[in-house]
């Protein structure tokens, strides 16, 4: 278990981490999300006692990091920057770490095998590929068979097979009752791995919620209807008790409507439909909306606007209907504000 | 969720105690490893640092080059002088020239022991594995100092033996006044006293290992390889170079001071060829001075290491 209490870090006049309080619990994978520069890596360095918090503190199983007597047994970490001497063979790198914690030497071979590096144990990491370097870092984290694992962007540089491997590994580690805390800036990646979610933006806590709740909140769908007779269709929908709103390209959008019912309604009244599709907001989109106000480094979107690009996933265009262009869907009401409201009510 | 065990006294890895809190997500009990764990202490850090220092090429390289320079140059100078008449130089003094170059290797290694970890990011892994930063610094210092002392002393002993073997049969030429070199001759042949032997072997080894340790401390302060090596070369060479350019009468005192306390003078004095005016200097007081300076810089490095983020 990792407990953060009002954790704050200031570099000069830059507030990198701003009053973070949350708990990472054992038995689940906790995803740590935030855009670039949100303060994820800084938070993780403070957890490991590498950076001194400006205010607040972190406890590992109730203790400060420096009080841990067998740190590698308590917590194993993979940090963003590779913490490996390029000239020291993989085996020797793990050996010196094992020795510093009195870990039996046989664990070195076991850890190398666990990450699939046994064949390059005698090679120097200087010549390793990005993915091999990442695996060596993971081997170091697993070396002490720790109760807590913390990974900073572990899938960086891994191929699809490697990504699948680490996803399975993290879930297995959590199932064994360990605490798994993993950062990423990809919501879609986390959605497949994590059960719990902590989202930060510009150092501040934006969300601390279960993944299932996040999905329930954000997989809200709407039905998109395009017809040559929009006025007539709108009246029909309103009469049926639905609330259509005008969307892009003269389409109508119906929140929480179900497509079969709308299709039947149109057929019954002889209204021609050009499109009838269920639109699902992607988790990535929800994440971006949540962090939109706190993204530091916007790329200027083509066309000169400064809004973050909104990808469209999981659209299900009606057969025969035209593919809806990306970004055409009306975004659901600001999800982030909504969440903040609930949080306010809860706490 | 309340924060527990603030005193840090609770037995490590006591899952029962935590399980008492109940409500684990998914009803999974906290993980408990079957691997035996020891409470870590300085011994672990020493073994770890020994593994680290012997598994990088820079250690092998710097120490081999040092060995080759000291013994090689010592051998060549002795060879050049053998057969000639006594030059007036103490028997073992030829070892100094090789060591003056060889010490640069030890300085480089001392710096790299710390700065290579900062350069590669290894320091974060190291301090994660051992959050007691003072222990890490102490272990590094002990392991490096031991290794540097042993290898340098070995090289110096070998060089002294070569000098003694090749030059020991030199005789005193008739024009040399025996009074001026009392103690340097025995039965007409050149000899070295016990004190000279000690200075040219253990003394020189200690001196250079201390310079290396000072470099390690400077490396920990500056955390930058090139910066720390440059600083150390400045410390070793600059006083002598500056003294060479101080010619005026007014600067005589400064010049004398610089020569006296130049790190090179300490080494030369151990070989009984001091650069200062005090021709009887043995180098041991200067070695003591170097030890004090080294400890002070190490203490500063320790204080900063504990204070700074890594
Ligand atoms: N040592 C440091 N000195 C000064 N500023 C720093 C330092 N470390 C981080 N920062 C700043 O703090 C902020 C948070 O950085 P951090 O690396 O923690 O973000 P992150 O969430 O890990 O980002 P990314 O997703 O890109 O890895 C950034 O604005 C960064 O510039
Ligand atoms: Mg980061």
């Amino acid at each position: 278990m990792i407990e953060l209490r009002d954790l704050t870090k200031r570099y000069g006049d830059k507030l990198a981490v701003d009053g973070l309080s949350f708990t990472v619990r054992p038995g689940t994978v906790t995803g740590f999300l935030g855009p670039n520069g949100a303060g994820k890596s800084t938070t993780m360095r403070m957890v490991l006692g590498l950076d001194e918090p400006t205010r607040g503190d972190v406890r590992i199983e109730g203790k400060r990091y420096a009080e841990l007597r067998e740190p590698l047994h308590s917590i194993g970490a993979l940090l963003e920057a590779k913490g490996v001497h390029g000239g020291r063979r993989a085996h020797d790198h793990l050996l010196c770490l094992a020795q510093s914690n009195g870990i039996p030497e046989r664990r070195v071979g076991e850890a190398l095998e666990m990450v699939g590096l046994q064949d390059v144990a005698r090679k120097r990491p200087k010549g390793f590929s990005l993915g091999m370097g990442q695996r060596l870092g993971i081997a170091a984290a697993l070396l002490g068979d720790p109760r807590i694992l913390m990974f900073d962007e572990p899938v960086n540089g891994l191929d699809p097979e490697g990504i699948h491997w680490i996803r399975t590994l993290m879930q297995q580690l959590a199932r064994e009752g360990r605490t798994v805390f993993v950062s990423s800036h990809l919501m879609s990646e986390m959605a497949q791995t994590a059960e719990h979610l902590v989202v930060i933006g510009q150092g501040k806590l934006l969300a601390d919620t279960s993944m299932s709740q996040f999905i329930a909140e954000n997989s809200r769908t709407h039905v998109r209807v395009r017809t040559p007779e929009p006025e007539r269709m709108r009246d029909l929908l309103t009469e049926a008790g639905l609330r259509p709103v005008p969307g892009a390209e003269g389409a109508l959008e119906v929140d929480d409507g179900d497509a079969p019912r709308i299709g039947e309604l149109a057929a019954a009244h002889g209204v021609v439909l050009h499109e009838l599709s269920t639109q699902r907001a992607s988790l990535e989109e929800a994440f971006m909306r949540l962090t939109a106000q706190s993204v530091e480094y916007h790329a200027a979107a083509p066309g000169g606007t400064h809004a973050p690009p909104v990808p469209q996933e999981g659209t299900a265009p009606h057969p025969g209907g035209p593919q809806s262009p990306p970004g055409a869907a009306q975004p659901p009401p600001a999800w982030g504000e909504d969440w903040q409201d609930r949080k306010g009510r809860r706490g | 969720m309340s924060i527990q065990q603030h005193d840090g006294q609770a037995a490590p890895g006591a899952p029962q105690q935590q399980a008492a809190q109940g409500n684990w997500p998914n009803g999974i009990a906290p993980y408990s490893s079957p691997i035996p764990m020891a409470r870590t202490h300085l011994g672990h850090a020493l073994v770890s640092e020994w593994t680290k220092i012997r598994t990088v090429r820079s250690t092998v390289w710097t120490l081999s080059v040092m060995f080759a320079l000291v013994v090689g140059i010592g051998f060549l100078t002795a060879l050049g002088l053998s057969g000639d008449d006594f030059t007036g130089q103490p028997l073992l003094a030829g070892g100094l020239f090789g060591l003056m170059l060889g010490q640069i290797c030890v300085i480089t290694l001392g710096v790299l022991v710390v700065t290579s970890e900062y350069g590669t990011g290894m320091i974060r892994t190291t301090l994660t594995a051992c959050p007691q930063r003072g222990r890490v610094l102490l272990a590094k210092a002990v392991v490096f100092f031991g290794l540097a002392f042993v290898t340098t002393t070995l090289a110096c002993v070998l060089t002294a033996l070569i000098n003694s073997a090749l030059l020991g049969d030199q005789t005193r030429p008739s024009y040399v006044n025996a009074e001026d070199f009392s103690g340097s001759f025995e039965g007409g042949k050149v000899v070295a006293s016990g004190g000279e032997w000690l200075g040219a072997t253990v003394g020189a080894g200690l001196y250079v290992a201390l310079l290396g340790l000072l470099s390690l401390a400077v490396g920990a302060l500056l955390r930058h390889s090139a910066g720390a090596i440059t600083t150390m070369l400045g410390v070793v060479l600059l006083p002598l170079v500056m003294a060479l350019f101080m010619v005026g009468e007014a600067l005589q005192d400064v010049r004398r001071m610089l020569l006296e306390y130049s790190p090179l003078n300490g080494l030369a004095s151990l070989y009984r060829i001091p650069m200062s005016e005090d021709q009887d200097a043995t180098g041991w007081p200067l070695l003591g001075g170097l030890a004090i300076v080294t400890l002070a810089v190490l203490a500063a490095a320790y204080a900063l290491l504990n204070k700074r983020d890594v």
Side-chain angles (χ1 to χ4, degrees):
Chain A
M1 184 157 57
I2 311 172
E3 292 152 302
L4 290 80
R5 217 171 34 183
D6 192 28
L7 194 66
T8 303
K9 182 67 185 182
R10 180 182 285 281
Y11 294 111
D13 51 5
K14 163 104 201 156
L15 205 51
V17 173
D18 189 0
L20 283 189
S21 301
F22 61 88
T23 301
V24 187
R25 292 184 172 79
T28 52
V29 176
T30 301
F32 191 30
L33 272 108
N36 287 131
K40 304 182 292 295
S41 301
T42 306
T43 303
M44 290 187 159
R45 284 200 305 275
M46 286 193 283
V47 170
L48 297 177
L50 295 172
D51 282 24
E52 178 72 16
T54 310
R55 200 179 65 226
D57 71 354
V58 195
R59 303 279 168 157
I60 314 290
E61 294 172 335
K63 293 183 191 171
R64 286 176 212 281
Y65 196 88
E67 293 166 357
L68 298 176
R69 287 300 150 183
E70 58 283 294
L72 294 187
H73 192 41
S74 300
I75 178 166
L78 168 78
L79 286 183
E80 187 175 37
K82 261 192 272 176
V84 175
H85 190 300
R88 186 176 290 118
R89 297 169 207 277
H91 173 272
D92 297 334
H93 171 68
L94 295 181
L95 179 62
C96 73
L97 291 179
Q99 287 168 334
S100 73
N101 275 244
I103 297 168
E105 199 176 329
R106 66 177 163 83
R107 277 296 294 173
V108 171
E110 287 174 16
L112 282 169
E113 223 155 277
M114 258 186 264
V115 301
L117 287 184
Q118 63 275 20
D119 294 340
V120 291
R122 295 277 151 205
K123 295 250 156 51
R124 298 176 200 275
K126 227 176 350 211
F128 282 9
S129 69
L130 201 56
M132 286 160 82
Q134 204 74 339
R135 282 166 190 260
L136 181 58
I138 292 167
L142 295 174
L143 193 62
D145 198 21
R147 293 182 291 273
I148 303 175
L149 285 137
M150 190 167 77
F151 300 123
D152 198 357
E153 291 173 33
V155 299
N156 242 355
L158 291 183
D159 51 21
E161 191 262 324
I163 292 176
H164 178 76
W165 166 72
I166 186 122
R167 199 182 281 157
T168 320
L169 175 74
M170 288 191 294
Q171 285 167 339
Q172 185 207 325
L173 291 169
R175 261 200 310 279
E176 291 168 353
R178 305 186 216 232
T179 306
V180 182
F181 188 42
V182 51
S183 85
S184 172
H185 17 59
L186 289 183
M187 183 66 220
S188 48
E189 166 60 31
M190 276 300 99
Q192 301 178 55
T193 319
E195 280 179 67
H196 196 86
L197 206 56
V198 173
V199 184
I200 63 169
Q202 288 191 347
K204 288 195 187 63
L205 189 69
L206 297 180
D208 179 0
T209 174
S210 73
M211 184 61 80
S212 55
Q213 187 174 354
F214 188 89
I215 290 172
E217 288 299 327
N218 293 285
S219 54
R220 228 180 325 175
T221 56
H222 66 263
V223 176
R224 184 176 146 88
V225 185
R226 278 202 318 131
T227 162
E229 306 169 85
E231 284 82 15
R232 185 148 167 250
M233 189 70 213
R234 187 172 59 226
D235 292 343
L236 285 174
L237 289 168
T238 314
E239 278 166 30
L242 298 167
R243 276 176 294 124
V245 288
E249 296 168 37
L252 293 169
E253 291 176 354
V254 187
D255 259 349
D256 298 322
D258 78 294
R261 187 174 159 215
I262 294 170
E264 282 157 21
L265 193 69
H269 293 82
V271 178
V272 175
L273 292 188
H274 286 175
E275 182 187 346
L276 176 66
S277 62
T278 306
Q279 307 279 325
R280 198 178 298 274
S282 75
L283 293 176
E284 203 66 57
E285 194 185 346
F287 168 61
M288 283 207 228
R289 193 155 298 126
L290 175 60
T291 56
Q293 287 87 20
S294 61
V295 171
E296 255 177 291
Y297 310 106
H298 284 304
T305 65
H306 288 270
V310 177
Q312 190 83 11
E313 272 177 35
T315 55
H318 190 265
Q323 181 85 33
S324 57
Q330 175 94 3
W335 184 86
E337 291 162 26
D338 186 37
W339 183 86
Q340 295 283 22
D341 282 354
R342 279 186 291 112
K343 187 187 168 211
R345 255 181 276 138
R346 233 184 6 197
Chain B
M1 173 92 17
S2 68
I3 295 190
Q4 39 155 4
Q5 298 175 17
H6 269 207
D7 56 3
Q9 292 302 308
Q16 305 85 341
Q17 184 190 3
Q18 292 176 356
Q21 284 184 310
N23 69 10
W24 296 109
N26 313 340
I28 301 173
Y31 182 74
S32 166
S33 171
I35 293 171
M37 277 292 148
R39 220 180 137 85
T40 58
H41 49 72
L42 180 63
H44 292 116
L46 286 171
V47 178
S48 173
E49 289 301 331
W50 169 244
T51 300
K52 274 191 205 168
I53 204 168
R54 70 180 172 78
T55 53
V56 287
R57 283 174 171 158
S58 54
T59 306
V60 181
W61 272 108
T62 49
L63 292 181
S64 315
V65 170
M66 182 276 290
F67 211 91
L69 282 173
V70 173
V71 178
I73 294 179
F75 177 71
L76 290 178
T77 48
L79 203 63
L81 291 175
S82 68
D84 287 357
D85 278 342
F86 177 59
T87 55
Q89 189 172 275
L91 178 62
L92 305 178
L96 173 66
F97 310 113
L99 194 57
M100 271 170 34
L101 290 177
Q103 68 179 351
I104 293 171
C105 299
V106 178
I107 285 170
T108 306
L109 179 61
V111 165
L112 286 180
V113 162
V114 175
T115 57
S116 72
E117 293 220 7
Y118 282 99
T120 57
M122 177 72 189
I123 189 72
R124 289 195 173 138
T125 309
T126 298
L127 293 184
T128 305
C130 179
Q132 292 78 22
R133 298 184 181 184
R135 184 193 291 173
V136 171
L137 186 65
L138 181 60
K140 278 188 183 303
V142 169
V143 166
F144 165 77
F145 184 80
L147 181 64
F149 172 67
V150 169
T151 48
T152 312
T153 305
L154 269 179
C156 290
V157 167
L158 204 58
T159 311
L161 288 174
I162 290 170
N163 272 299
S164 167
L166 290 179
L167 304 176
D169 60 351
Q170 285 185 335
T171 51
R172 175 168 57 88
S174 52
Y175 55 83
V176 169
N177 185 354
E179 302 290 293
D180 293 347
F181 294 96
S182 57
S184 287
F185 293 96
E186 218 174 82
K189 304 248 184 207
V190 201
V191 291
S193 67
E196 282 177 62
W197 272 96
L198 194 68
T201 55
V202 174
L206 262 180
Y207 199 90
V208 170
L210 272 175
L211 266 182
L213 192 56
L214 178 62
S215 313
L216 184 150
V218 168
L221 281 177
L222 301 183
R223 309 195 285 191
H224 188 272
S225 306
I229 292 174
T230 311
T231 304
M232 280 311 295
L233 289 183
V235 165
V236 170
L237 299 177
L238 222 53
L240 182 67
V241 173
M242 278 161 64
L244 289 178
F245 287 97
M246 291 185 174
V247 281
E249 269 298 310
L251 293 171
Q252 273 311 305
D253 281 348
V254 184
R255 180 185 148 88
R256 205 173 297 128
M257 278 276 291
L258 283 173
L259 278 180
E260 169 86 40
Y261 294 106
S262 153
L264 287 175
N265 184 40
L267 204 53
S269 302
L270 285 165
Y271 282 95
R272 304 298 157 90
I273 44 172
M275 300 182 288
S276 60
E277 278 153 28
D278 176 12
Q279 287 300 309
D280 292 330
T282 62
W284 290 99
L286 283 170
L287 192 148
L290 177 61
I292 291 168
V293 170
T294 302
L295 284 181
V297 179
L298 259 180
Y302 168 75
L304 263 183
L305 185 63
N306 270 324
K307 228 182 85 180
R308 288 197 287 211
D309 292 343
V310 289

